[in-house]
Amino acid sequence: MLTPMRTADRRELGAFLALLTVTAAWGSTFFMIKDIVTRLPVADLLAVRFAIASLTLLVFSIGRLRLSRRTLQRGLLLGVLYDIAQILQTTGLAHTAASVSGFITGLYVVATPLLSALILRTTIPRTTWFATVLATIGLGVLSLNGFSIGYGELLTLASALVYALHIVALSRLSDGTDALSLSVVQMVVITICCTLVALPGGITLPDSRTDWLIVIYLAVIAGALTMFAQTWAQARIDASRAAVIMALEPVWAAFFAVTLGGESITVRMIIGGLAILGAIYLVELAPRLIKPRPGNGRPGNGRPGNRRPPQRAERT
């Protein structure tokens, strides 16, 4: 007999679906960015993109914005972390192949549970560690075609560590009550930092309707919307699981490259994608599908003395 889903389960499922949407939006941008950076400098693209994203969030938050001192402090820290990761990744990309950059950046999947254990003293389940390794293997199969360590690779590795730190910090600092305000502060901080980097050479704006449409999509859908969704979701799901789910980004990138970018599907895409999907199944879907067996001593099995322990108050 089907039993009603608990409130906590519904919240975690909502967070899972939100992060899937985030990774799909991020994955859809790769072939667009690959095209537009041939006409627009990277620093200028980031400055314009995040400026539009900030304006979008500000307009959407009219009447809802609650800028407490705590929100400002947390948003400042998170925004600076995200911007540092963006700058390191972008600079590293100029000195290494895109596929290698994608793989090394994806190593935040490994770094996130390590940082969670070290900084937050979080106990990471064995299934999460196994899923982390499986996702990393999938990223390697999907992305790598030769590898060497150089200046660009080291910068990209540093960006992966900062991305992981941002994921850990976001899971700790986002409490779900001020996701919109926290997203706004983060985005404004990112915009200011990107603009300061772009200003010395002057900021070049898109000069065609197509380029403007790409920038607006990157800003509104893959910028403002994903920032809010990620901030909201990570108040409801731990950092290690979030990192494994977000490893799906290159799978979405491959999907959109094939369906919209004109690329051909390869065996590596299939094997790497299946490995990452398997990792997500381990940490998210499998626990939801496993039902307690009668008489195993778990809560709800009808045995006396096996009542459900008091639940911790849920965040809203």
Side-chain angles (χ1 to χ4, degrees):
M1 186 175 80
L2 294 177
T3 57
M5 184 180 291
R6 294 186 302 123
T7 300
D9 292 335
R10 286 198 298 268
R11 287 174 179 168
E12 289 195 358
L13 179 59
F16 171 63
L17 294 175
L19 287 178
L20 282 184
T21 303
V22 167
T23 59
W26 286 344
S28 69
T29 65
F30 277 71
F31 75 96
M32 298 181 192
I33 294 175
K34 183 179 179 180
D35 175 54
I36 197 171
V37 293
T38 62
R39 299 181 295 278
L40 200 65
V42 172
D44 299 3
L45 171 63
L46 292 176
V48 176
R49 172 188 179 182
F50 288 121
I52 296 173
S54 294
L55 183 60
T56 301
L57 281 175
L58 285 168
V59 170
F60 183 75
S61 63
I62 292 175
R64 304 185 184 94
L65 205 58
R66 293 178 294 178
L67 296 179
S68 65
R69 181 178 179 181
R70 184 184 70 168
T71 300
L72 290 172
Q73 290 174 337
R74 292 181 174 188
L76 176 62
L77 172 62
L78 291 167
V80 169
L81 285 174
Y82 193 88
D83 189 71
I84 291 173
Q86 284 272 316
I87 292 171
L88 287 171
Q89 182 187 22
T90 303
T91 306
L93 185 57
H95 301 278
T96 189
S99 59
V100 174
S101 175
F103 168 72
I104 298 176
T105 302
L107 291 179
Y108 65 72
V109 176
V110 178
T112 298
L114 289 173
L115 291 176
S116 291
L118 290 173
I119 298 173
L120 304 181
R121 304 296 182 185
T122 304
T123 301
I124 310 298
R126 291 181 180 179
T127 52
T128 301
W129 283 118
F130 184 76
T132 297
V133 173
L134 186 59
T136 304
I137 293 172
L139 285 167
V141 173
L142 196 63
S143 306
L144 290 182
N145 187 16
F147 184 79
S148 62
I149 298 294
Y151 175 70
E153 288 77 15
L154 291 175
L155 285 177
T156 309
L157 180 60
S159 78
L161 294 174
V162 181
Y163 276 129
L165 190 57
H166 178 266
I167 293 171
V168 172
L170 188 56
S171 286
R172 182 63 180 265
L173 300 179
S174 178
D175 58 13
T177 61
D178 58 352
L180 182 57
S181 299
L182 189 59
S183 299
V184 169
V185 177
Q186 283 188 84
M187 194 62 74
V188 170
V189 170
I190 294 168
T191 300
I192 293 172
C193 293
C194 288
T195 302
L196 290 175
V197 172
L199 272 178
I203 297 178
T204 303
L205 298 176
D207 60 1
S208 69
R209 180 184 176 185
T210 300
D211 286 355
W212 271 114
L213 288 174
I214 291 174
V215 171
I216 290 171
Y217 176 84
L218 294 175
V220 177
I221 304 300
L225 176 62
T226 57
M227 176 63 73
F228 172 71
Q230 184 186 3
T231 302
W232 177 87
Q234 285 202 235
R236 293 158 175 81
I237 194 169
D238 68 75
S240 300
R241 287 165 58 195
V244 173
I245 297 168
M246 288 190 284
L248 195 61
E249 179 185 354
V251 179
W252 284 113
F255 171 79
F256 285 110
V258 170
T259 57
L260 300 178
E263 294 189 19
S264 301
I265 192 168
T266 65
V267 174
R268 287 174 56 187
M269 285 182 184
I270 295 172
I271 296 175
L274 288 176
I276 294 172
L277 288 173
I280 293 172
Y281 174 82
L282 279 175
V283 298
E284 284 300 316
L285 300 182
R288 301 179 192 280
L289 297 177
I290 296 175
K291 298 180 180 179
R293 294 180 181 178
N296 65 355
R298 293 184 181 179
N301 63 4
R303 286 188 177 186
N306 282 314
R307 293 173 184 166
R308 183 184 298 276
Q311 296 295 312
R312 187 178 56 177
E314 295 296 336
R315 291 182 291 186
T316 57

